[in-house]
Amino acid sequence: MKLKRFEYAVAVAVMALVAGCGGGGGGGGGGGTTPPPPAGGTPPVTPVTEFTLGGTVSGLGAGASVTLANGSESLPVNANGAFTFATKLKAGTAYDIKVTPPAGYTCKATNNTGTMESANSTKAVVDCAPVVLAGVRGTLQEPLAVAGDASGNVYVLDGGLHGILKMNSAGQISTFAGGSGQPGLSDGAGAAARFWLGGNGAAVDAQGNLFVADSCNGAIRKLTSAGTVTTLAGSGTAACYNVASAGVTAKVDGVGTAAKFAAPQSLVADGQGGVIVLDASAGLSIRRVSASGVVTTQTYVHPDPSLPAFSLQTLARANDGTLYLSDSNNRIWKDVGGRLVAFAGTFVGSGSQDGTGTAARFSVITSMVTTPNGDLYVTDVASVRKVTPAGVVTTLAGSATQRGQIDAQGTAARFGNLLSIGFDGTSLFVIDSGQEVLRKVALDGTVTTPAATPAVRATTDGNATTARFGSFSSLAADADGNLYFVDPVTHVLRKSTPNGTVSTISGTTGEAGLTDGPLASAKFAGPQRVATGRDGSIWVAQVQGLRRIKDGIVSTVDANVRPVGLTIDANGNAIVTTGATGGEVLRFTPTGARSVLVQKPAVVALAGANANFIPQSVAVDAAGNIYIADTGTVAVYKLTPSGTLSVFAGTPLKETGNVDGAVNTATLGFYEVDHMTIDDAGNLYLSGSGNVRMISPAGVVSTPSYVWGNASIGAVTYNKGKLYGMTRYAVMQTYL
C-alpha cells in the first residue's frame, strides 16, 4: 500500500529512532543500515531536444574568411575545417545555410538545407576557390586609345570592357563610364552608359569634356568631367556586324542622330566645343561636328596628282588652330587655308629616319598629339617621334627596329606596338598593345610604366600567382580536373593542375614546327584550339592541321584541314568547324577518316537565301547532339545524332540588342571570337557575345552574372561543377 506523504515521514523518523537505540538484533554499535530510496527510484534525466548545426569548409587561402549564415545568425569562418553555429536547433527545425564568399573567391554549398534530426548535424559542405585560378587579372583588357586633360587625368578607351577608365593625377585608376563588357548604345551617367568601342579616337577639349569616337555605334559621344554621357552626333552603323546583308552604312551629313558615320576613328577637339573626325575609308575628307551636333564634310584636293592616291589616317590640332593630318603613306600634312601642304615625311623609301620636313621618314603612324608649345608627337610603331613647328623630326623614345618592354631613357626604352598617344598637361601617355598597358613618356624621353597598369603579359610557367599568359587561348579539361590551353603566339601546349600550377607540356616556346613524337620533342605551329576526349586523348587544332596526343605521343591526324572550332564526341572522334575558309562541320576519326556533317545549303534552308555559313565554336552534349555557333547567321544550330539540323538559339540574321529569350526572340552578337561548353545539366555557355551567355537545353538564352564580373572572357570550359573562363592574362573559375 502506498503511504501518504505524512505517514511516510513518521515511518522514517521511527526507523531512525530504533536504529539509534541499537534496536533489533544488533549489539549496541552505531552503524545501522541505510534506509531504502524513495519509492520510484532515480529521478528521470531530461531528454536532449536541441542540437548543433555545422559542417566543413575547404579551399580558403591564407587570410581569407567566408561568412556563413543560418537565419539571423552569422558565422565568419577563417580557416578550412569544421564549423559549428553557436545556436542549437530543435529537432524538426528547418535550416538553410547561406554563403558569402570572401573577396576574390567563388564558393558553393552542398547539403546546406534541410531539417534537423535528433542528432548534431555536420552534413553541410562549403567548397571555395580563388576566382583567379592562375595568372593575373590585369587592369586593362583591350586598350584602344588614350587622351589626357590639363588637370593630369588620363582617359583610356577599353574595347574589352566597352568602357572608359580614368587614371587621376595620383595614379589611381577607376571606371569612368560604361565598362559592363557588353556592347551597346545608351546615354547616361557613369556605368549606366553603353559603348561599342572599336577605334582609337579620343580627345579632351579646353573645358575638360572628353569626346569619343564610338566606332561600332557610328556615333560621336561626349562625356562631361563628371562622367555624364550624351551622343553628340551619329547613331548606328553596320561596320562591326557579322551579317553580310547588313552592308556598309552611308556617310550622311545632318544634325545629331540624323547624321551617319561609317565608323569614326581619329578625332580632335576643334576649339569651339565640337570635334573634327576622320571616318572609315576617309579618302581626303574630314567630318566636322559642331558643338550643337551639326555634321558637315570637308574634302581636300589631292595636293600632287603625280603621286598615287592616299587616304587620311590620323589627326592632331595645335592650340593655335593648326590642323595636322597623317596619311596612309605615313606622311604628315598641314592644313593651310583648306589645302594640304607637306609638313614631314616622304613618299620615297621605307622605315624611320630623323630629319627635317620631307627628309624625314616614318614607318607606321598610328596616332598624333600636340603640346601647348606647338610640338607634335607621333607614335610610330614602337617609337615616339617629335616634330617641331618647323618640321624637325627626332626620335624621343623607343626604337623603330627593336621591340620589347623596357622602361628607360630615350632610345634605350623599348615598346611593343604603340596604338595611341595623349598628353595630360605635363607628360605624354601611350597605349602599348605589346603588353596591353599604359606607358608614360616624359618630355625628356624618360619612359615608365604606371603602377596602375602593370605589364603582366608573358608565357611563364609557375604556381597560381607566378604563372603568366600571353594571349587568348582555348580551354579544355580532363577527368582529373586538369586544364589544358594552347598559345597560338608561342606555339606551345600548356596545362594547369586544379590548384593553378601551370606547366608547358609540349612544344618549344617561340618555335613553330610540325614534328610528331613524344611530348618533349613534338612541335606545334599556330595552335588555336584544344579539346580532350573521354579516352584520355588531347586534340590540338592548328592554323593548318589537326593533331592528336595519346599516351604521351603526338601524331598528325590531318595535315591539310584548317580548323576553327574543335570538340571530341563520346566515341573519341574530333568534330571540327572550318569557319569562313571551308564553311563546313567535319568529323575526323583518330585514324584520319573524314566525313562531312554540315554544309552551307543545310543552313540556307533554315535561315534563308541570304545566309552565309561561317561555323566557329562547336560543342557536343551527353546525348551526342552537336551544337554549332555560326557567325554568318549569328545563331547556334543543333545537329542530332540522326542528322537533323535545327536552329537552337538566337535569331538567324538578327544580331542587335543582346536580347535574352527563346529561339527567334533572343539575339547573339558574336563581337569577339566565340567558344562554347556544356555543363552536366545540358546548359550551354557561349562567349564572344560580350558577357558569357547561357543557353538552356530548350534553347532559351540568358545573361547570368558571374563572380569574375566584367572580365573579358575568351575561352570557356566546364568541369566538375565549375565554369572556367580565360582572359588574355588569367584563367578564371566560378562555381555554378
Side-chain angles (χ1 to χ4, degrees):
M1 181 179 70
K2 185 176 180 180
L3 298 176
K4 295 181 181 180
R5 184 178 303 172
F6 175 75
E7 295 172 326
Y8 173 75
V10 172
V12 171
V14 172
M15 291 175 63
L17 179 60
V18 171
C21 296
T33 59
T34 302
T42 304
V45 177
T46 304
V48 177
T49 60
E50 294 183 330
F51 305 94
T52 59
L53 173 64
T56 57
V57 169
S58 66
L60 294 178
S65 176
V66 61
T67 301
L68 310 178
N70 181 51
S72 61
E73 184 178 5
S74 180
L75 175 66
V77 179
N78 304 314
N80 297 316
F83 69 86
T84 304
F85 284 95
T87 302
K88 294 183 177 182
L89 303 176
K90 292 182 178 181
T93 302
Y95 61 88
D96 184 0
I97 301 174
K98 304 292 186 182
V99 180
T100 302
Y105 276 77
T106 175
C107 297
K108 182 178 182 180
T110 54
N111 299 323
N112 58 313
T113 62
T115 302
M116 291 297 293
E117 299 175 355
S118 297
N120 295 332
S121 176
T122 58
K123 297 178 180 178
V125 176
V126 178
D127 294 309
C128 295
V131 173
V132 178
L133 173 65
V136 181
R137 181 159 182 164
T139 305
L140 304 179
Q141 299 295 312
E142 190 181 337
L144 300 172
V146 61
D149 64 22
S151 300
N153 299 305
V154 176
Y155 302 91
V156 178
L157 275 59
D158 194 309
L161 300 174
H162 291 289
I164 299 165
L165 290 86
K166 175 182 177 180
M167 187 174 73
N168 63 22
S169 58
Q172 300 167 323
I173 198 165
S174 60
T175 300
F176 183 59
S180 69
Q182 191 79 13
L185 175 59
S186 60
D187 294 338
R194 291 289 180 270
F195 303 86
W196 190 359
L197 301 173
N200 67 341
V204 179
D205 67 10
Q207 289 70 46
N209 298 302
L210 173 66
F211 294 89
V212 171
D214 193 354
S215 297
C216 290
N217 279 320
I220 306 301
R221 315 293 293 280
K222 177 180 178 181
L223 294 81
T224 68
S225 58
T228 299
V229 181
T230 55
T231 300
L232 180 62
S235 180
T237 177
C240 297
Y241 287 122
N242 293 282
V243 177
S245 60
V248 177
T249 301
K251 301 172 185 178
V252 179
D253 289 344
V255 180
T257 56
K260 295 293 182 183
F261 294 87
Q265 302 293 320
S266 180
L267 58 74
V268 292
D270 67 2
Q272 300 176 4
V275 290
I276 304 169
V277 184
L278 283 178
D279 207 350
S281 303
L284 296 181
S285 296
I286 59 175
R287 313 286 298 276
R288 293 184 180 271
V289 185
S290 73
S292 59
V294 177
V295 179
T296 56
T297 300
Q298 174 187 339
T299 301
Y300 294 100
V301 175
H302 195 298
D304 187 350
S306 67
L307 296 176
F310 61 84
S311 180
L312 300 175
Q313 300 287 310
T314 66
L315 294 168
R317 182 180 178 277
N319 285 353
D320 65 2
T322 301
L323 183 65
Y324 298 97
L325 309 95
S326 73
D327 69 19
S328 51
N329 292 320
N330 299 300
R331 296 168 297 180
I332 300 175
W333 304 84
K334 184 164 64 172
D335 182 322
V336 178
R339 297 182 301 108
L340 293 178
V341 176
F343 178 61
T346 179
F347 181 77
V348 180
S350 61
S352 295
Q353 178 177 299
D354 291 344
T356 300
T358 56
R361 284 202 305 265
F362 299 90
S363 293
V364 180
I365 297 174
T366 56
S367 184
M368 303 189 298
V369 72
T370 60
T371 52
N373 68 347
D375 289 334
L376 176 70
Y377 291 89
V378 179
T379 48
D380 184 13
V381 186
S383 64
V384 177
R385 316 286 296 281
K386 174 183 176 180
V387 189
T388 69
V392 178
V393 180
T394 54
T395 300
L396 177 68
S399 168
T401 58
Q402 299 181 47
R403 303 190 185 194
Q405 173 73 28
I406 301 176
D407 288 343
Q409 176 77 30
T411 56
R414 292 292 179 267
F415 301 98
N417 186 39
L418 300 180
L419 297 181
S420 179
I421 188 168
F423 182 67
D424 74 344
T426 302
S427 300
L428 301 165
F429 286 84
V430 294
I431 296 294
D432 187 350
S433 67
Q435 275 284 345
E436 307 283 11
V437 296
L438 197 61
R439 310 282 295 279
K440 179 180 179 180
V441 184
L443 295 183
D444 67 356
T446 302
V447 178
T448 55
T449 301
T453 66
V456 297
R457 191 174 190 175
T459 303
T460 305
D461 292 341
N463 61 34
T465 58
T466 61
R468 294 291 181 267
F469 302 92
S471 63
F472 272 126
S473 181
S474 172
L475 278 175
D478 66 17
D480 296 323
N482 299 304
L483 296 179
Y484 298 88
F485 27 86
V486 289
D487 190 322
V489 177
T490 58
H491 313 291
V492 294
L493 171 64
R494 305 176 74 191
K495 169 185 174 181
S496 171
T497 63
N499 69 0
T501 299
V502 176
S503 60
T504 299
I505 63 173
S506 191
T508 302
T509 301
E511 186 177 331
L514 300 173
T515 306
D516 287 340
L519 286 170
S521 58
K523 287 181 170 51
F524 300 90
Q528 303 291 313
R529 303 271 174 141
V530 61
T532 54
R534 297 181 185 179
D535 60 355
S537 61
I538 304 171
W539 294 66
V540 176
Q542 300 182 152
V543 172
Q544 180 174 330
L546 182 63
R547 316 284 290 280
R548 181 174 183 260
I549 304 168
K550 187 71 170 66
D551 299 325
I553 303 297
V554 180
S555 61
T556 299
V557 176
D558 189 293
N560 298 313
V561 67
R562 294 182 178 272
V564 174
L566 173 68
T567 193
I568 311 302
D569 67 19
N571 298 317
N573 302 309
I575 309 300
V576 170
T577 62
T578 57
T581 302
E584 295 178 316
V585 181
L586 308 172
R587 176 186 286 124
F588 289 89
T589 68
T591 59
R594 167 177 173 162
S595 56
V596 178
L597 300 179
V598 182
Q599 292 179 312
K600 180 177 177 178
V603 175
V604 169
L606 294 170
N610 292 328
N612 187 21
F613 188 42
I614 309 177
Q616 300 285 325
S617 59
V618 61
V620 60
D621 67 16
N625 297 300
I626 298 171
Y627 300 88
I628 307 144
D630 174 32
T631 60
T633 61
V634 292
V636 176
Y637 295 87
K638 177 180 178 180
L639 180 69
T640 66
S642 63
T644 301
L645 186 71
S646 62
V647 180
F648 176 65
T651 304
L653 305 180
K654 183 178 180 182
E655 56 187 320
T656 58
N658 304 308
V659 178
D660 289 341
V663 64
N664 292 322
T665 296
T667 56
L668 302 172
F670 294 102
Y671 311 112
E672 304 285 349
V673 176
D674 57 274
H675 296 254
M676 287 196 298
T677 190
I678 296 177
D679 68 17
D680 295 332
N683 297 302
L684 187 150
Y685 298 86
L686 173 69
S687 68
S689 293
N691 303 127
V692 177
R693 313 285 291 275
M694 186 178 83
I695 307 174
S696 74
V700 178
V701 178
S702 60
T703 307
S705 296
Y706 302 96
V707 293
W708 54 53
N710 61 355
S712 184
I713 298 295
V716 291
T717 195
Y718 170 84
N719 192 43
K720 297 183 177 181
K722 289 181 184 176
L723 179 66
Y724 296 88
M726 193 166 190
T727 70
R728 282 178 172 82
Y729 322 112
V731 178
M732 320 280 276
Q733 59 183 342
T734 179
Y735 280 106
L736 295 176

